[in-house]
Amino acid sequence: MIQLRYPHLFQLKNYGAVRSRFESESAKLPRFLELIRSRGQGFYDLPDATGSVAEILEYARKVRGKFDHIVVLGIGGSALGITCLLTALKHPFWNILPKRARKHPQLFVLDNIDPSVIAQLEDVISYKKTLFIVATKSGTTPETMSQYHYFRAKMEREAGKIMAKKHFVFVTDAAAGVLREIAVKDGIPCFTIPDNVGGRFSVLSPVGLLPAALLGIDIKKLLSGARAGRDVFFEKKCVRNIPFQLAAIQYVLEQERDVTMTVMMPYASALYSLADWYRQLLAESIGKSETRGGKKVLIGLTPIKALGVTDQHSQIQLYTEGPRDKFVLFLEVAELYKKRLVIPSTKGVTFQELMSVEKRATEQALFEYGRPTATLSVDRIDAETLGALFMLLEGSIAFLGEFYDIDAYNQPGVELGKMYTKKMLLK
Ligand code: PA5
């Protein structure tokens, strides 16, 4: 079960106005749901795409045992989701776990074009045992396409022109983009990202599902969790709608208290990459310069990621005593590990208990300093929970878009940078 709790929030000193604003904003929920449904976005339909799940599982079955390494070439929404799935659902030291314990390939996500990383990846993979997944919604992103051309040329030298094609699989738009053209011309298997699903909302499409299935992650469970999350997202009652409550808290804190930053702080190392994924989602979706009606505004909530307990010793000092511009969203997991790890020389205290005490202590300290916090808690980290978390957090972004009356699904600022990159390269 997933819960959002914020017992301290309205008890903060001088937070009466925040509470009444939160209550009055709650009335917008049914209207916002209608608006969200009218936007033509497809992220909440992804859990129903059984056809593409069957295709992915069939492909995974066909290549099973053929590759020791999977390399994902992708950036932004095409990379952060699978990184999150790997970190959350697989062994923390996955790539160095012996092959017999892994039973599935290693995974490398190359989301940068730093030549030192590209070149040195070659020290740890064998081309003949590598499958490259090239993931790009637009099929034209320069970073991903340049990586693709580099590795395709290398693979052709290693395995020969004909065999090289067997080491690639694409995930891209149904029709648009250069990558789709290459797939058609060269007969490379290609999975489709639905047209109405944007990059940062695509984790539950083949972008996340294909590499996840190749790692042995139960993608059916991921999607059933997402369906459960969607039921909550579509709840018309505020008390049951976690995404709406989260968005309303962020919006009201910004409007009433100039709290413009959201710190996502999981008390679980496995969820650290979820904070990374959420960082893109919040930043790119809500950072906008005009409303849907074209009114000039400068909207944005700055996402920050922190890790409990690690960052208690690096960032918490700032959050307790620094500017009053941050809202801390803790993520808490009731069962972090199936075995009890008792700390010797204590009266049977486990690491899980210590972690939980430290989280509550940090929350209390922030409260005493008058800082707003909330906790998103889950029973355990598994495929179903993660699917639900993706959907709940995407839903909260959709609600934020309605609160601010901005288009949460475009990214003109990113596109402008991409356009200039292409232009400057051509020169
Ligand atoms: O959310 C988005 O649309 C972007 O951040 C993209 O994920 C990112 O720019 C990569 O684009 P593409 O998947 O087209 O290569």
Side-chain angles (χ1 to χ4, degrees):
M1 196 175 43
I2 301 184
Q3 285 180 304
L4 180 67
R5 290 179 280 109
Y6 35 97
H8 292 142
L9 188 66
F10 300 128
Q11 286 171 15
L12 290 170
K13 217 167 139 206
N14 300 327
Y15 260 53
V18 174
R19 177 196 278 270
S20 9
R21 179 79 185 264
F22 178 84
E23 282 163 4
S24 66
E25 294 294 338
S26 303
K28 294 180 177 168
L29 168 56
R31 172 83 190 118
F32 280 1
L33 277 175
E34 277 171 30
L35 286 170
I36 290 168
R37 300 297 280 265
S38 73
R39 304 287 182 211
Q41 292 300 312
F43 70 90
Y44 49 78
D45 292 327
L46 290 172
D48 303 325
T50 44
S52 97
V53 169
E55 266 178 62
I56 288 170
L57 292 175
E58 175 55 18
Y59 177 83
R61 195 191 54 73
K62 271 210 305 233
V63 300
R64 184 91 215 250
K66 289 196 178 144
F67 300 108
D68 289 343
H69 330 279
I70 294 173
V71 179
V72 171
L73 308 179
I75 197 163
S78 297
L80 290 161
I82 184 55
T83 304
C84 172
L85 286 163
L86 172 75
T87 317
L89 300 177
K90 289 287 164 181
H91 192 287
F93 306 106
W94 179 252
N95 280 350
I96 50 172
L97 208 59
K99 197 173 161 183
R100 64 176 187 287
R102 265 190 288 113
K103 298 190 187 80
H104 293 90
Q106 295 173 318
L107 179 82
F108 301 93
V109 181
L110 229 56
D111 63 351
N112 203 352
I113 47 171
D114 182 331
S116 68
V117 181
I118 292 180
Q120 291 177 82
L121 175 72
E122 298 178 358
D123 296 339
V124 292
I125 61 162
S126 139
Y127 275 93
K128 291 207 169 118
K129 292 299 255 175
T130 300
L131 176 70
F132 288 92
I133 300 181
V134 189
T136 161
K137 170 77 201 295
S138 59
T140 57
T141 300
E143 293 87 345
T144 307
M145 291 311 293
S146 57
Q147 288 173 335
Y148 160 68
H149 288 299
Y150 177 83
F151 287 112
R152 174 87 188 254
K154 279 266 177 171
M155 186 62 87
E156 288 185 358
R157 283 203 288 279
E158 293 285 333
K161 260 192 176 322
I162 311 260
M163 288 309 287
K165 293 179 199 169
K166 300 207 180 305
H167 292 260
F168 287 86
V169 55
F170 299 162
V171 185
T172 191
D173 189 80
V178 185
L179 200 64
R180 177 61 69 173
E181 282 169 28
I182 299 172
V184 174
K185 181 168 72 63
D186 292 353
I188 291 176
C190 191
F191 292 87
T192 300
I193 308 169
D195 196 35
N196 59 356
V197 175
R200 60 192 171 276
F201 290 89
S202 69
V203 59
L204 297 170
S205 79
V207 170
L209 298 184
L210 174 66
L214 296 173
L215 292 182
I217 291 171
D218 189 334
I219 60 172
K220 287 189 177 164
K221 287 212 167 122
L222 198 60
L223 294 182
S224 72
R227 280 193 290 276
R230 181 177 59 189
D231 290 344
V232 177
F233 169 33
F234 287 165
E235 273 285 352
K236 290 204 178 78
K237 284 236 160 32
C238 180
V239 283
R240 290 202 288 264
N241 194 319
I242 293 174
F244 182 83
Q245 290 173 53
L246 176 58
I249 290 170
Q250 288 167 298
Y251 175 69
V252 170
L253 286 175
E254 183 271 318
Q255 294 280 301
E256 297 288 329
R257 286 291 178 278
D258 289 329
V259 172
T260 55
M261 303 192 195
T262 295
V263 180
M264 182 176 270
M265 187 165 187
Y267 272 71
S269 296
L271 292 182
Y272 196 31
S273 297
L274 183 77
D276 229 356
W277 170 84
Y278 178 72
R279 185 167 62 161
Q280 182 205 18
L281 192 67
L282 179 61
E284 280 193 7
S285 305
I286 306 304
K288 297 290 151 68
S289 67
E290 52 182 57
T291 65
R292 284 187 178 273
K295 190 174 146 218
K296 293 282 169 216
V297 284
L298 293 177
I299 298 296
L301 296 176
T302 303
I304 301 172
K305 62 173 198 164
L307 180 64
V309 303
T310 311
D311 289 321
Q312 286 173 200
H313 301 271
S314 89
Q315 299 179 41
I316 286 296
Q317 173 59 31
L318 170 69
Y319 304 160
T320 45
E321 294 206 313
R324 294 179 177 279
D325 53 5
K326 293 172 196 71
F327 158 61
V328 180
L329 176 63
F330 296 110
L331 304 184
E332 193 176 37
V333 183
E335 185 198 85
L336 282 166
Y337 193 58
K338 32 193 187 314
K339 285 190 203 140
R340 283 169 55 82
L341 245 61
V342 176
I343 306 166
S345 79
T346 63
K347 288 185 179 145
V349 177
T350 64
F351 276 104
Q352 167 95 44
E353 283 156 356
L354 179 59
M355 194 112 172
S356 163
V357 165
E358 292 206 20
K359 183 260 171 188
R360 279 186 282 128
T362 303
E363 196 177 7
Q364 182 64 29
L366 285 161
F367 174 63
E368 281 175 26
Y369 274 99
R371 310 304 163 114
T373 65
T375 299
L376 195 55
S377 62
V378 300
D379 293 340
R380 65 192 68 76
I381 304 168
D382 57 17
E384 275 178 299
T385 308
L386 212 66
L389 280 173
F390 285 137
M391 189 57 75
L392 295 176
L393 292 168
E394 287 173 349
S396 76
I397 296 296
F399 282 123
L400 273 175
E402 300 308 330
F403 273 118
Y404 286 109
D405 189 26
I406 45 128
D407 186 342
Y409 310 103
N410 66 4
Q411 55 287 324
V414 180
E415 304 304 341
L416 190 63
K418 284 188 184 180
M419 192 272 283
Y420 277 122
T421 304
K422 285 178 199 158
K423 221 170 162 176
M424 289 173 189
L425 270 176
L426 283 175
K427 261 193 192 163

